[in-house]
Amino acid sequence: MEKAKGHCVKYGDNVDTDVIIPARYLAIQDKAELATHAMEDIDQHFHDKIKKGDLLIAGKNFGCGSSREHAPQVLKDSGISCVIAESFARIFFRNALNIGLAIVEAPEAAKEIQEGEELEVDFTEGKIHNLSSGKSYTMAVFPPFLQEMIDKGGLIASVNEKLEKMQQKT
């Protein structure tokens, strides 16, 4: 987990999990199909404008509401490589890391970055570079074990890989 690079889409404060993925779609089992419904209640064009690697910028309390893991998963499956927000709801924050979606609390960056700007997030350096404006922002660096877990696709994938390695040794 070194860098994420892409254009950004931007939303405001208190985007809840029911907006990220409306409950009426939760019975869909196919991840790609489910991802086509991400954010559709506030942005019907979200799915069409996201390219793999793009970033989502949000205000305060992103991911509030229910504890459904579907919310960060559909963002990841939509192609979002990283979510930058002023703040996250605690359960969304944990669920995002558990499924391997990089998330960053960076209030100044979240306030100043505009929709459509191109960003590069350097997770090792702890910097968000706005390639459109030339401005850079500081962010907290994930500890190595979290970077590794996100790289492997989340908590379950990381644990499964470690178990496989242990079994191979025996």
Side-chain angles (χ1 to χ4, degrees), residues 7-65:
H7 290 89
C8 66
V9 292
K10 186 170 183 174
Y11 301 99
D13 295 340
N14 301 310
V15 175
D16 67 40
T17 55
D18 289 324
V19 169
I20 296 169
I21 183 62
R24 63 187 176 273
Y25 299 117
L26 295 179
I28 296 172
Q29 297 295 311
D30 181 81
K31 286 182 175 186
E33 182 183 348
L34 187 61
T36 66
H37 299 288
M39 307 297 280
E40 76 177 24
D41 285 353
I42 61 170
D43 185 352
Q44 292 181 336
H45 303 288
F46 177 82
H47 179 70
D48 297 326
K49 62 183 170 184
I50 297 299
K51 293 178 179 48
K52 187 175 172 65
D54 282 349
L55 297 96
L56 191 149
I57 309 298
K60 297 174 187 158
N61 202 28
F62 186 81
C64 57

Side-chain angles (χ1 to χ4, degrees), residues 21-144:
I21 183 62
R24 63 187 176 273
Y25 299 117
L26 295 179
I28 296 172
Q29 297 295 311
D30 181 81
K31 286 182 175 186
E33 182 183 348
L34 187 61
T36 66
H37 299 288
M39 307 297 280
E40 76 177 24
D41 285 353
I42 61 170
D43 185 352
Q44 292 181 336
H45 303 288
F46 177 82
H47 179 70
D48 297 326
K49 62 183 170 184
I50 297 299
K51 293 178 179 48
K52 187 175 172 65
D54 282 349
L55 297 96
L56 191 149
I57 309 298
K60 297 174 187 158
N61 202 28
F62 186 81
C64 57
S66 71
S67 61
R68 66 178 69 143
E69 290 179 350
H70 296 79
Q73 187 68 56
V74 297
L75 294 176
K76 183 179 175 183
D77 293 341
S78 294
I80 296 294
S81 62
C82 180
V83 179
I84 300 168
E86 287 184 57
S87 65
F88 292 93
R90 186 185 181 291
I91 193 71
F92 181 90
F93 187 90
R94 191 63 224 167
N95 283 340
L97 294 176
N98 283 345
I99 61 98
L101 176 63
I103 55 176
V104 173
E105 282 189 349
E108 183 183 5
K111 287 176 188 171
E112 293 182 6
I113 293 169
Q114 299 300 307
E115 171 109 13
E117 291 183 323
E118 187 177 13
L119 307 176
E120 182 178 78
V121 180
D122 188 324
F123 297 103
T124 305
E125 183 183 293
K127 293 282 185 188
I128 300 166
H129 302 286
N130 185 329
L131 303 176
S132 299
S133 73
K135 187 163 183 180
S136 292
Y137 305 89
T138 302
M139 61 180 226
V141 176
F142 286 127

Side-chain angles (χ1 to χ4, degrees), residues 1-2 76 96-102 144-165:
M1 178 178 168
E2 292 180 23
K76 183 179 175 183
L97 294 176
N98 283 345
I99 61 98
L101 176 63
F145 79 93
L146 266 182
Q147 288 188 34
E148 181 182 338
M149 187 177 86
I150 292 168
D151 280 343
K152 292 182 190 306
L155 179 62
I156 292 173
S158 181
V159 169
N160 283 340
E161 183 178 302
K162 288 178 182 178
L163 287 172
E164 285 177 23
K165 286 180 181 178

